[in-house]
Amino acid sequence: MQMVRQGVRSRGGRVVRGAGVALAVVGFALAALPAASAQTFGAFDFVAPPSAEANRVYGVNRKTGELSACQFERPAGSSVGVTRCFALGEGAGAQKAGRYGLLATHYAGETGVFRVNYETGEMSICYVRDLPRADGKLEPTVLCTPQGR
């Protein structure tokens, strides 16, 4: 492509005038749009709790309200980390159909998140807690309080 003073010359010899202005306008329009949020794409919403000590991300299925939580861990002696996801416990499974999302508070020590149903206004608090297994060992499990308003 050859550059000319009035515009850009295309292969066919046609001069495209003002291409730079058009690109600038498109760029400005895109910059004016709000940043993409987790609620913009896909069937899931994700959020991290505000605690600087929590290495965890929560996810929710927007239609069913089913919650998940995973975190990064690096086993002793390993140079490669793993993604560890937790078992679902009481209240963390599918709820009545709705339009669910996740919200984190601004409380710096909080390691849980709020699951909200935008259609009904109901909320529950979801968190990970060590629960005893049948063999006596503890298993980190995702729990959610009953929904309330």
Side-chain angles (χ1 to χ4, degrees):
M1 295 176 77
Q2 294 179 341
M3 296 296 292
V4 295
R5 195 186 327 212
Q6 289 85 13
V8 178
R9 185 173 300 279
S10 68
R11 283 186 176 174
R14 186 172 148 221
V15 174
V16 181
R17 297 186 193 280
V21 173
L23 290 175
V25 169
V26 169
F28 178 76
L30 290 175
L33 292 174
S37 70
Q39 295 180 355
T40 306
F41 303 103
F44 295 90
D45 194 8
F46 298 92
V47 72
S51 173
E53 302 300 316
N55 178 19
R56 186 170 294 150
V57 173
Y58 291 88
V60 69
N61 181 309
R62 288 200 188 120
K63 291 180 184 175
T64 69
E66 183 174 90
L67 206 79
S68 61
C70 300
Q71 70 185 31
F72 169 80
E73 292 182 3
R74 193 172 71 206
S78 175
S79 61
V80 178
V82 296
T83 301
R84 180 178 183 198
C85 296
F86 304 107
L88 297 185
E90 188 174 337
Q95 307 294 299
K96 62 183 175 188
R99 191 169 57 92
Y100 292 91
L102 294 175
L103 297 172
T105 68
H106 293 289
Y107 177 61
E110 184 60 60
T111 59
V113 295
F114 285 85
R115 174 179 56 195
V116 297
N117 183 332
Y118 292 107
E119 291 179 358
T120 66
E122 294 176 306
M123 296 181 245
S124 55
I125 301 166
C126 301
Y127 53 97
V128 175
R129 182 171 182 179
D130 289 334
L131 295 181
R133 297 188 320 198
D135 62 5
K137 294 182 180 180
L138 295 177
E139 179 176 25
T141 306
V142 181
L143 302 171
C144 296
T145 63
Q147 292 184 14
R149 246 169 66 148

